[in-house]
Amino acid sequence: MAATLCWAAAKITFTKTTHDFGTIQEKNGDATVEFPFTNSGDSPLLIVRAQSSCGCTVPEFPKKPIRPGESGVIKVTYHAKGRPGPFQKSVYVYDNNNGKSMLVINGNVVSNTTPEDTYATEMGAGLRVKNRTLNFFDVYPNRNNRTRTLMFYNESNEPIQLTFRGVSKNVHLDKEPEIIQPKKEGRVLVTFLTKESKDWGMHTETFDVFVKGKESKAKNNRITLQADIWEDFSELSRKERDNAPEIEAESTTINFGKNEGKMVTKNVEVWNTGKTKLTIRKVQNDMPKVFKASISSTTIKPGDRAILTVSFHPEMTKLKTINHHITLISNDPSNSRVIINLQAD
């Protein structure tokens, strides 16, 4: 095995990380702010993803690498329509240096809206919902469960009762009240059962909502749940950390170069330079049709290695230039997520 090298690192530096919109008139529509940043490091900076605290807040970020000394902006838009009242939302920005930055927006939306405006999505049979996406953000399997709220409105002239299909073992639902009366609001408490989760990293699942006895009239009735599941190493002793596994990738960038439409496969060695068994929890890949990734072994003994194999399938995309990534999630307490950047033309 080659000696460990010191790699240059990117560093994202924001001009500001908070913004107060003040008073927003709902009739004026969306409110947008730009958060300027600079790559103050000494290697290219790639924004891997930007994740908001709810579907009402939409971040936009540069898709191309930012060279050292160059600048860019993260644009954050708050959808004010149907959301009167004060708000504070967060956007988490992840970069290729395993960095995580938080941007915060706040303000107060003023408007005289109807329930139909507030509960913008019609689900059929007189049922409306405020949001169809719930984000639980960072979740740890050994910590307390996380709960979010779905808000509904019965615009019909009859009482309705909600039923659900496709709810996983990770999720528990509580209806308040059991019956939603005409022209009244109701809510469903959605609890993510952290100990029941068998996944790691970015996790997405769905379930469907129906009005009992009127299932055939359902539309726009799928609810999406998102969570970022982390392993908690906070209780490890110094001795356990000293004897922990350590993951080391041969390279954190795979460049497939210019391609003429043919599949290309490349390998990266993944070493365990620690003192105990390294377990690869997950090879997270958000473009599995374009980039197919697998690892030769999910268990690596100290001093041993595994081979990460990534194949690029250009016929599965219309993009001319791709800057993507996969993430190796392991039980290394000091570096549990290693980002492998993928580049192709």
Side-chain angles (χ1 to χ4, degrees):
M1 174 182 171
T4 303
L5 299 177
C6 293
W7 296 95
K11 182 179 180 181
I12 187 169
T13 302
F14 284 94
T15 303
K16 63 176 182 177
T17 57
T18 63
H19 181 75
D20 186 354
F21 284 106
T23 300
I24 300 173
Q25 296 294 328
E26 182 184 1
K27 63 182 179 181
N28 293 337
D30 298 341
T32 300
V33 62
E34 291 185 348
F35 290 93
F37 67 87
T38 301
N39 179 4
S40 57
D42 47 14
S43 69
L45 170 73
L46 179 65
I47 304 299
V48 175
R49 70 178 188 274
Q51 179 180 321
S52 64
S53 56
C54 79
C56 61
T57 306
V58 179
E60 298 179 49
F61 58 92
K63 301 301 191 295
K64 296 182 179 181
I66 306 296
R67 295 179 179 178
E70 292 186 346
S71 301
V73 296
I74 305 293
K75 182 185 294 185
V76 178
T77 299
Y78 181 71
H79 296 314
K81 184 177 180 180
R83 297 180 175 89
F87 67 89
Q88 178 170 304
K89 303 297 178 182
S90 301
V91 171
Y92 296 91
V93 180
Y94 298 84
D95 61 54
N96 61 332
N97 196 35
N98 290 320
K100 178 182 177 182
S101 306
M102 184 174 72
L103 307 176
V104 178
I105 60 172
N106 58 69
N108 185 38
V109 179
V110 178
S111 177
N112 294 320
T113 59
T114 66
E116 288 75 15
D117 294 326
T118 302
Y119 295 86
T121 302
E122 184 180 358
M123 304 184 83
L127 182 66
R128 305 184 78 94
V129 67
K130 185 177 290 187
N131 295 304
R132 292 194 297 144
T133 299
L134 292 181
N135 199 322
F136 293 86
F137 298 100
D138 293 345
V139 170
Y140 296 84
N142 62 330
R143 297 187 186 178
N144 294 335
N145 297 329
R146 304 289 296 276
T147 299
R148 294 287 185 267
T149 303
L150 284 172
M151 296 298 300
F152 296 92
Y153 179 73
N154 178 7
E155 66 176 355
S156 75
N157 295 317
E158 300 177 357
I160 61 177
Q161 182 177 4
L162 303 184
T163 62
F164 312 99
R165 294 178 188 172
V167 181
S168 76
K169 294 181 179 179
N170 298 333
V171 176
H172 177 76
L173 305 178
D174 287 306
K175 294 181 285 187
E176 297 181 356
E178 182 68 24
I179 305 295
I180 304 177
Q181 298 299 325
K183 313 302 180 183
K184 296 293 183 180
E185 298 173 319
R187 65 177 184 171
V188 174
L189 302 180
V190 184
T191 301
F192 193 92
L193 305 175
T194 57
K195 293 182 180 179
E196 297 296 327
S197 175
K198 306 300 180 185
D199 196 11
W200 299 99
M202 292 302 299
H203 173 85
T204 301
E205 61 180 272
T206 62
F207 65 87
D208 297 326
V209 180
F210 298 90
V211 173
K212 187 175 182 179
K214 298 182 180 180
E215 288 81 359
S216 63
K217 296 183 178 181
K219 60 180 180 179
N220 302 318
N221 66 325
R222 178 147 294 180
I223 302 298
T224 299
L225 309 180
Q226 298 174 337
D228 196 3
I229 305 174
W230 294 79
E231 188 166 356
D232 187 2
F233 301 104
S234 62
E235 299 298 323
L236 291 182
S237 65
R238 179 178 294 274
K239 181 178 180 181
E240 288 172 322
R241 287 185 176 275
D242 290 342
N243 290 283
E246 295 182 16
I247 188 171
E248 182 178 328
E250 175 187 9
S251 174
T252 56
T253 300
I254 301 178
N255 194 330
F256 292 92
K258 294 185 178 180
N259 190 279
E260 297 180 355
K262 298 180 180 179
M263 184 190 75
V264 179
T265 299
K266 293 197 174 186
N267 297 326
V268 171
E269 293 184 355
V270 179
W271 289 87
N272 178 7
T273 58
K275 298 179 180 179
T276 53
K277 180 178 67 177
L278 177 71
T279 301
I280 305 298
R281 304 291 193 197
K282 183 180 182 180
V283 180
Q284 185 169 296
N285 179 15
D286 297 332
M287 295 180 68
K289 293 183 178 180
V290 179
F291 294 99
K292 295 184 179 179
S294 62
I295 195 162
S296 60
S297 177
T298 57
T299 302
I300 309 175
K301 296 179 180 179
D304 208 346
R305 65 172 183 172
I307 304 298
L308 173 69
T309 300
V310 183
S311 58
F312 172 49
H313 296 259
E315 75 279 5
M316 301 304 296
T317 180
K318 295 182 180 180
L319 296 174
K320 293 183 179 180
T321 301
I322 301 179
N323 288 292
H324 185 54
H325 71 279
I326 59 177
T327 305
L328 301 180
I329 302 175
S330 75
N331 64 333
D332 177 353
S334 62
N335 190 20
S336 64
R337 301 190 183 196
V338 175
I339 296 174
I340 306 295
N341 297 299
L342 309 178
Q343 300 172 357
D345 291 327

